[in-house]
Amino acid sequence: MAYINYAQREIQLKVVYYGCGFCGKTTNLQAIHHTLDPQQKSDLVSLATSGDRTLFFDFMSLKTPTLNNFTVRFQLYTVPGQQIYMSTRQLVLRGADGIVFVVDSGWDRMPENVESFQDLQENLLANNLSLAQIPCVIQYNKRDLPESANIEYLEYAFNNRAIRAPSFEAVAPRGEGVIETLNAIARLLMVKYSKTSQAGMAPARAQ
Amino acid sequence: MDPFANVPSSVGAAEVRALQGALQGFLEATSAHWVALCDRAGNLLFHEGKDPGSDVAILCALAAGSFAASRELARRLGTNEFAEQVHEGEGLRILLHSLDTETLLVVVFQHSTSIGLVRYYAAKLANEVTGMVEEIARAGAIAFGQLPPIELDPARPLLS
């Protein structure tokens, strides 16, 4: 849950990057860390295996400029994508205010993406949450792959709900679509927690 | 016009001062270096003491992660969560103490400080501040809900 420290004029919001193994969650955080103003960000911390796979989580903290006398601090986490770390993902999801679901666009990764999406929904439920309640943005990563699935198919598979999530195409190692995704989830959270108007929100894709 | 004109600026301020006083009292009684309260999601709530030499947001995220992992370990071993953890380094120790179902106390202290003393005052502090943390969060959320919307420039990204 968002933590609002009124006396110190600070709001803290937790965003979790979720998705299957090798979909690019850590790469998203690395690209954000590489791109953003040093004044706005903490170090990027990775709890990884010796093979550079995420073992527990990656973490970084970002501060917005002051808005109405308040500073908003976004706490970005990734979860380990590998199937065996189910319970770890549940732990990292605790207290999440927003989700970025990262989809690997490779055709051959669709079973893993679908499994991860189901896993997300189950783990949200275990934290008494659902995708209908929690702000969510979908990122279709690895759009530079020659064998990537088309966007219409991906939208049908992962964004086929009554209220559709904003979605973005990305090539995370090049930083493409990464900051756009981050700003979309940041705005969704501001809308939810500070009654900010919807103006400037990236619209959900048309069918 | 000041959007805060009709909202008292002091909401929660007295409680925050009382809580900070309690944390400072804990540091004086134990000679610990640094003490923080964070929630189980890893959000830093309050901290006092000497600069711990690292970003406090990161310390809290890691402390909450460590506590969550040990709780899951306990659950899988069929026991209750461990209410306390002590990590011992060469020069420093870290104590993680569960205040309630939502809040953790994180203390960084040297080997020259008695661990028993830190434990004793941590338990005492837990009784003292639990209600304060809840009250500050509740008052803050109510006051924040009364504020006018934050206006964002649609053409300007929040983070860039």
Side-chain angles (χ1 to χ4, degrees):
Chain A
M1 262 306 284
Y3 181 75
I4 299 162
N5 187 329
Y6 191 91
Q8 295 180 349
R9 297 282 192 266
E10 185 173 277
I11 310 166
Q12 292 182 53
L13 297 162
K14 180 172 180 175
V15 176
V16 177
Y17 280 68
Y18 210 98
C20 66
F22 283 123
C23 71
K25 302 175 291 295
T26 300
T27 311
N28 261 269
L29 258 62
Q30 287 167 339
I32 291 166
H33 194 261
H34 179 73
T35 307
L36 291 193
D37 180 344
Q39 301 292 324
Q40 281 186 286
K41 67 191 181 190
S42 73
D43 288 343
L44 171 60
V45 176
S46 291
L47 303 184
T49 66
S50 54
D52 266 351
R53 303 292 305 273
T54 303
L55 173 65
F56 199 162
F57 57 75
D58 306 299
F59 170 82
M60 68 182 291
S61 174
L62 302 173
K63 269 196 303 191
T64 62
T66 306
L67 305 160
N68 273 20
N69 294 339
F70 274 81
T71 299
V72 184
R73 188 187 280 272
F74 293 98
Q75 316 273 44
L76 309 187
Y77 289 77
T78 66
V79 294
Q82 293 176 83
Q83 205 177 10
I84 55 166
Y85 296 129
M86 166 93 170
S87 58
T88 311
R89 286 191 288 278
Q90 210 176 93
L91 298 180
V92 177
L93 266 184
R94 179 171 176 152
D97 298 298
I99 303 288
V100 173
F101 186 73
V102 182
V103 175
D104 187 326
S105 293
W107 269 118
D108 58 335
R109 301 303 309 284
M110 287 308 127
E112 287 89 345
N113 287 323
V114 169
E115 194 176 349
S116 177
F117 197 59
Q118 286 167 348
D119 178 77
L120 167 64
Q121 293 175 80
E122 285 166 20
N123 282 332
L124 284 173
L125 203 59
N127 280 286
N128 299 314
L129 290 167
S130 74
L131 277 176
Q133 295 170 296
I134 191 165
C136 179
V137 169
I138 299 175
Q139 183 189 80
Y140 302 119
N141 193 21
K142 305 192 186 180
R143 296 307 300 161
D144 56 338
L145 286 178
E147 297 292 313
S148 61
N150 63 53
I151 289 295
E152 290 71 24
Y153 172 81
L154 293 171
E155 282 283 283
Y156 181 77
F158 300 104
N159 205 6
N160 192 12
R161 291 183 295 283
I163 299 173
R164 302 175 74 195
S167 59
F168 295 86
E169 296 181 44
V171 183
R174 300 206 294 251
E176 292 171 18
V178 169
I179 301 299
E180 291 83 348
T181 305
L182 172 67
N183 272 294
I185 192 66
R187 276 191 184 261
L188 279 180
L189 288 168
M190 294 303 291
V191 168
K192 180 168 178 180
Y193 288 104
S194 74
K195 299 168 283 184
T196 303
S197 78
Q198 293 269 3
M201 277 302 306
R205 287 170 185 277
Q207 276 282 37
Chain B
M1 186 186 156
D2 178 7
F4 289 85
N6 298 319
V7 181
S9 60
S10 61
V11 170
E15 290 84 356
V16 170
R17 276 197 298 277
L19 194 142
Q20 285 171 331
L23 295 179
Q24 284 160 5
F26 171 83
L27 290 174
E28 281 166 24
T30 59
S31 302
H33 273 200
W34 181 74
V35 60
L37 296 172
C38 65
D39 68 16
R40 300 283 183 112
N43 292 316
L44 170 68
L45 309 182
F46 299 95
H47 70 112
E48 288 292 328
K50 293 175 194 159
D51 179 357
S54 182
D55 188 312
V56 293
I58 291 174
L59 295 183
C60 289
L62 293 171
S66 172
F67 210 88
S70 80
R71 188 185 57 163
E72 182 65 13
L73 193 61
R75 192 181 70 80
R76 286 177 185 268
L77 292 171
T79 183
N80 296 329
E81 78 169 22
F82 307 122
E84 193 177 87
Q85 286 180 34
V86 178
H87 300 290
E88 302 215 21
E90 250 180 50
L92 287 173
R93 290 169 170 156
I94 300 168
L95 176 131
L96 307 177
H97 183 99
S98 170
L99 260 66
D100 54 39
T101 55
E102 290 301 323
T103 319
L104 296 177
L105 177 73
V106 186
V107 187
V108 176
F109 58 105
Q110 283 187 311
H111 279 276
S112 55
T113 300
S114 155
I115 192 165
L117 192 71
V118 173
R119 279 190 165 133
Y120 171 77
Y121 279 103
K124 199 162 172 267
L125 184 68
N127 289 331
E128 202 177 338
V129 303
T130 300
M132 290 185 200
V133 173
E134 284 169 15
E135 180 53 30
I136 290 166
R138 193 190 63 79
I142 291 171
F144 189 76
Q146 292 167 350
L147 290 178
I150 290 177
E151 295 299 333
L152 296 178
D153 179 352
R156 197 171 162 197
L158 261 172
L159 298 154
S160 57

